[in-house]
Amino acid sequence: MKRCILLPTLAVVSCLLVPTGSRVAAQNADSSQNPPIPTVTFERYWEAVRPQDVVITVQSTGNTTYVSRNPSLPAEQTATPEAARSSALDPNYQVRFLMSEANRAKVFKLAEQAKYFNGNFDFTKHAMAKTGRKTLTYADISRHFQTVYNYSENKAVHSLTDLFQNISTTIEFGRKLVFSYKYDKLGLDADLAALEDAVENHSVDELHVIAPVLQQIAADPTVLNIARRKAQKLLGKAK
């Protein structure tokens, strides 16, 4: 079973925003602009949802970092003890894991098909519902390309968007399970049922990342048996 680390962090994630399809010059670039290991980064910022900002960075080695945060939450959200508890999932959050070989290969193959994001991939034929500003970046020792879009009909970009958003869904499910396991064990059954539905609807990916909390739930005799059975079933899929 692949190992992963789930931990809160106060690290601030920044993303260099440049015009859609722009190329960043290689000359005078530092290692963050042109890393020695080829890297694909996906960011989605959507103020209306939680988490608002999601950043996933994948190296060609498979080493992956996930960060989510809510930079514009109103101050009054934590004005009362009840609100403070409900917002406990809102601080910056970070997970590091090794992406599965199949998805690692898929990410870099799709990036190649999308010309490493050197171009404008935003759909502009007619107005589309806003689903957050998305940014894809490719960088290696000699290239740095970035594209920004709301929705893209390019098959490679669309597939990458689905994959990265599914990974985010998985990790945020795991985060909620950790919270419920600590504060609301009776609510675990509903959380796990929702995760089962997401698995059936193919809206999660890299399920192995949250295997540790599923294992903890499945092995805990103080958790309702129905929830433990769901966790055990999901563990089977995570493998």
Side-chain angles (χ1 to χ4, degrees), residues 8 67-68 73 107-110 112 114 123 126 134 145 151 156 160 171 174 176 179 184 192 196-197 211 220:
V67 177
S68 67
L73 285 179
V107 165
F108 285 87
K109 182 64 175 178
L110 290 171
E112 180 183 13
F123 181 85
H126 55 75
K134 303 168 189 72
F145 298 110
Y151 170 80
L160 280 169
I171 293 174
K176 190 170 193 309
F179 180 83
D184 182 24
L192 291 163
E196 285 183 325
D197 288 343
D220 189 342

Side-chain angles (χ1 to χ4, degrees), residues 90-227:
D90 288 330
N92 298 349
Y93 187 69
Q94 181 171 308
V95 178
R96 296 187 181 94
F97 64 96
L98 185 65
M99 182 174 284
S100 65
E101 175 57 26
N103 278 338
R104 184 209 62 79
K106 181 178 180 180
V107 165
F108 285 87
K109 182 64 175 178
L110 290 171
E112 180 183 13
Q113 291 174 4
K115 301 178 182 179
Y116 300 103
F117 318 130
N118 181 22
N120 186 349
F121 297 92
D122 195 26
F123 181 85
T124 57
K125 292 179 182 178
H126 55 75
M128 296 288 295
K130 297 297 183 182
T131 57
R133 184 190 69 221
K134 303 168 189 72
T135 306
L136 279 167
T137 305
Y138 176 85
D140 61 23
I141 196 66
S142 61
R143 292 173 290 193
H144 189 112
F145 298 110
Q146 187 174 82
T147 192
V148 180
Y149 59 100
N150 170 61
Y151 170 80
S152 178
E153 61 180 355
N154 178 278
K155 291 182 179 179
V157 170
H158 188 76
S159 294
L160 280 169
T161 304
D162 284 348
L163 174 61
F164 284 125
Q165 293 195 140
N166 285 356
I167 292 172
S168 176
T169 298
T170 299
I171 293 174
E172 294 299 328
F173 260 118
R175 187 180 185 188
K176 190 170 193 309
L177 288 172
V178 169
F179 180 83
S180 295
Y181 181 68
K182 184 174 181 180
Y183 296 109
D184 182 24
K185 287 185 177 179
L186 292 177
L188 281 171
D189 184 54
D191 294 341
L192 291 163
L195 178 55
E196 285 183 325
D197 288 343
V199 171
E200 291 299 316
N201 292 327
H202 306 288
S203 57
V204 293
D205 219 315
E206 297 292 305
L207 197 59
H208 69 88
V209 177
I210 65 170
V213 66
L214 292 173
Q215 180 65 59
Q216 194 172 17
I217 293 167
D220 189 342
T222 68
V223 173
L224 292 174
N225 283 335
I226 189 171

